Every structure is written in C-alpha cells, then in structure tokens.
Amino acid sequence: MAIQSLFLILLVLLVLLALGVPIAYSIGISSLFVILQTVPLDVSVVTAAQRTFVGMSKFSLTAIPFFILAGNLMNQGGIAKRLVDFVMAILGKLPGALLVTNAGANALFGAISGSASAAAAAVGSMVKEGEEQQGYDKGMCAATNGASAPSGLLIPPSNALITYSLASGGTSVAALFLAGYVPGILWALCCVIVGVLLAKKKGYKGMGGKYDWKNLGRCTLKALPALSLIVVVIGGIVGGIFTATEGSAIAVVYALVLGICYKNITVKSFWEIVVDSAKMSGMVVFLIGVSNILGWVMAFLQIPQAVSAALLSLTDNYIIILLIMNVILLIAGTFMDVTPAILIFTPLFLPIVKSFGMDPIHFGLILVYNLCIGNITPPVGNTLFVAIKVGGSTLAKTIPYMLWYYVAILIGLLLITYVPFLSMGLPMMAGLV
C-alpha cells in the first residue's frame, strides 16, 4: 500500500510538471490526491492547510529570505570583477589560466551570491573577453563555466543546506555549513584539474613572467571586503556569536554597505532588488510550506518505512544502498530543482541512512552535492544553459567537454559518499558533532 502510494504521488507529480503546473502546486495536489484515497475530504483539506501554515511559520525559515536578499545585493554590488582578478592573481600561471580562474571565481561568487546561475552569468561575462582574445574554444569555456558554478551552492552560506536542515528536522545549520566547505572546494578542484588537462591538450598556456606578488596584494585588498562576508557570517554562526537567522540579517547589512561603498547600489536599484528578493523568497517559503503536506502524507502512510524495507530486502550492504540512492537522486536532479528535491527526498531517504548509522550531516552533503549536479545536466540544467548563452556557444559544442567534467564531479560524489571524513572532519574538529 505504501509503495503504491509513493508511485502514485510520483506519477501525479510528473504528469503535473509535464503539463507546466508550478512545482509547489504539483507537490500539494499530488499529496492530496493520494491521501484522499484513505482520509475524508474535509479532514484532508483542513490538515493540509494546517501543515502548510506550520511549515511556513518556523522562525529558522527567516534566514532564507535574508540570504536571498544578501545574495542579490552582492550580485549588484560589483564584486564579481574583484573576485575574478583575485583568483587570476593566484592561479594565472596555470595552463588555461582563464579556465582555471573561471572555476575558482565561480566557487567564491556562488558561495557569496547563493546562486549558481548568477555565478555563471557574472563570472562568465567577466572572463569572456579575455577568452575570445586568446582564442579559447567557446564550447570548452562554456563547459568550464557551467560545470564549476554549482560548487558555490555547497560552500556556506548555503540556502540548500538551510532547507535540508528544516527538512531533516533541525540538523545543526552551523555543522552543515562547516561540512559544506570540503565538498564545495572538492567540486571546484575537480573542475580546475579538468580545466588544466583540457588546456594542456589544446595548448593554452598560463601567464608568462615571474609571479607578481604586488598584483596579488592589490587584488587581495580589493576582494577582501567581499571575502570577509563569508568569514564574518560563518565565523559568527559557528562560533555561537549569533544564530543562522541573525547571521543572515547581518549579511544583508554587510552586503548593502558594501554595495553603497562600491557605488553600485542606488535607491532605485535597492528597491528593485528588494522586490525581486521578496518574489523569490515567497516562492521558496511557499514551496517549503506545501512540502510539509507531502511530509505528513509520507509519515501517515508510512512510506519511508516501506521504502527502507524494500531497499533492505534487496541488500543489507550499505555501499550498494548508497549507490542506489545516488543513482535515484542523480536522475531526479535532471528534471527537478534543488529545493523541492531536498524537501521530497530527505524524509524518504534519511530514515534509511540513519538505520545503518550515517550521520544526518553527512547525508545532507551527499544529497545536496547530488542534486546540484542537476543544475548542469539537461533537460533542465538551468546553470548549464546560462553558461552556454553567456559563452556564445551551443549545447552540441559544449556537451563533449562537459563529459570530462561530469566524470570528475561524479568521482567527487563517490568520495563524498564513501569517505565520511571529507564532510564530517570540520564539524568534528569544531566540536559540533
């Protein structure tokens, strides 16, 4: 019964998504459709409304709108060029310097802005002129830009990790933030390695001459105020000086002051940023509220227990079970955005991994890393298509190079999955686990 209900939920959800129904409505309708098979209409509707309100009224949710606003302020604050110059000053001697710089700057800008697509658009635009002047292959540049952009979603402050904290029943945000550093850096490092290998194959060289320490100093000073946001916010949260919600508000003030100092934010642009952030926040918070209906339906019908029993009946080898989960999440990520996928799969898979002793923090990083790959895989792959558009390439020219990046990123996924210390090391050292 429970497995049948799960298949019915997924079937209705896929049909609604194929018809173009927004994801939040699709989740709510598919959940109600299934629960109506066993619970009267009046009870179902009232309970669904209550669960939606409860899901949206959590105080910790306030952090998401604040971090979205902070990210949008940073996007308009003129920091992308400073970050690109900073990374170029450090990595410019490597073969394919602009490819390597693109990957490194995407990790930094994605972490600060909280958006992989914004990173691909901003950083890609900054390095495009140099790549064209030096005769770089457009498909290779688009692939490097797209593949590296999601790495910033793992590096805190991360809205995806905050969403997972809520979906998992209150996993420590501070611990998740610390756990996100190594997976995010590993993703970026995989892209840097592939970029260097492709550059060597194509004969693209790095910057000539001696290492310019003066230029590094100048670029560091210019980038330091933006980089300090990560240090101030994450340091305060991990150090217990303030909560994640308070940290998000501090991030907004910091980003606003920085944008004003850089003279890139006016009263008019600030109002536009606030309105845009409010619209985005409304969608995310409503989605989280509606997904609470799905969580209630799963708990009521005991779907997680049934899925756990089904997987464990196939094998009790946790290595195989994690491999199966990874495959399911990779497939789901190709047609589903990160936030709704987290809300759907966390209550489904978390009880299973807990049954063989995996820490929720470790699973959270596996989940988010997996789903971030969906940002760069067709048919949805928003970040990939942004990178292709910015780079002036086509999907046909970009995909052959993307295959190299997919292999490297998937190797990173296997390391994150089967080497717990990569995720758990920093939280353990900080005494948060």
Side-chain angles (χ1 to χ4, degrees), residues 7 75 79 89-90 118 151 182 185 191 200 206 208-209 241 268 317 432:
F7 281 127
N75 288 344
I79 66 167
I90 298 174
S151 61
V182 173
I185 292 170
C191 294
K200 282 187 174 182
I241 299 172
K268 182 182 177 182
N317 187 328
L432 296 173

Side-chain angles (χ1 to χ4, degrees), residues 102-179:
N102 197 162
N106 268 342
L108 290 176
F109 191 76
I112 292 171
S113 69
S115 170
S117 296
V123 176
S125 299
M126 294 294 172
V127 299
K128 182 181 178 181
E129 184 178 348
E131 290 169 341
E132 289 177 346
Q133 289 175 351
Q134 296 184 33
Y136 278 56
D137 184 287
K138 288 186 177 181
M140 184 189 297
C141 294
T144 305
N145 188 26
S148 58
S151 61
L153 299 182
L154 291 156
I155 301 172
S158 167
N159 286 333
L161 292 176
I162 295 174
T163 303
Y164 171 76
S165 171
L166 293 165
S168 62
T171 304
S172 168
V173 173
L176 286 168
F177 276 7
L178 270 186

Side-chain angles (χ1 to χ4, degrees), residues 41 82 98 101 104 140 180 232 301 318 362 406 422:
L41 176 62
R82 291 170 172 82
L98 288 172
T101 297
M140 184 189 297
V232 170
L301 297 176
Y318 81 95
H362 181 201
Y406 288 144
L422 293 175

Side-chain angles (χ1 to χ4, degrees), residues 43-57 289 292-293:
V43 176
S44 299
V45 173
V46 171
T47 305
Q50 289 174 336
R51 298 314 304 170
T52 302
F53 178 77
V54 169
M56 294 170 64
S57 61
N292 219 34
I293 304 173

Side-chain angles (χ1 to χ4, degrees), residues 1 17 49 97 141 178 276 396 433:
M1 175 64 182
L17 290 175
C141 294
L178 270 186
D276 191 44
V433 177

